[in-house]
Amino acid sequence: MKLLIPVDKANHFIAGTIICCIAIVFMIPIYALILTAVVGVFKEMYDALTDKGTPDIFDILFTIAGAIPVFLTHII
């Protein structure tokens, strides 16, 4: 079965959704969205500095994209 997006990007999307869902319980929605973005950036910085992964700007974007539906659901 061929996926529409690579598995790595799907994992980042799911991680962004989960991080935002958990964070939104403890803080206002915009802070949860910002926290998710910061976690995504730091994960890619970790990949770049340790050579344990492949840093990619699109990984950050997919992490944030996963948080956006959660954010929008809470502000509506």
Side-chain angles (χ1 to χ4, degrees):
M1 179 168 85
K2 184 162 169 69
L3 297 176
L4 296 175
I5 60 173
V7 173
D8 177 54
K9 303 300 184 257
N11 288 341
H12 278 275
F13 187 91
I14 293 166
T17 302
I18 292 169
I19 292 166
C20 195
C21 279
I22 293 170
I24 218 158
V25 171
F26 300 103
M27 57 188 66
I28 63 174
I30 191 67
Y31 290 162
L33 181 63
I34 292 168
L35 176 68
T36 304
V38 168
V39 169
V41 169
F42 278 119
K43 164 61 169 78
E44 295 310 305
M45 288 173 53
Y46 173 81
D47 286 348
L49 295 173
T50 63
D51 292 328
K52 294 191 179 201
T54 305
D56 184 4
I57 188 73
F58 291 107
D59 288 348
I60 298 169
L61 296 176
F62 273 90
T63 303
I64 296 168
I68 290 174
V70 177
F71 171 75
L72 292 175
T73 301
H74 279 79
I75 63 168
I76 291 178

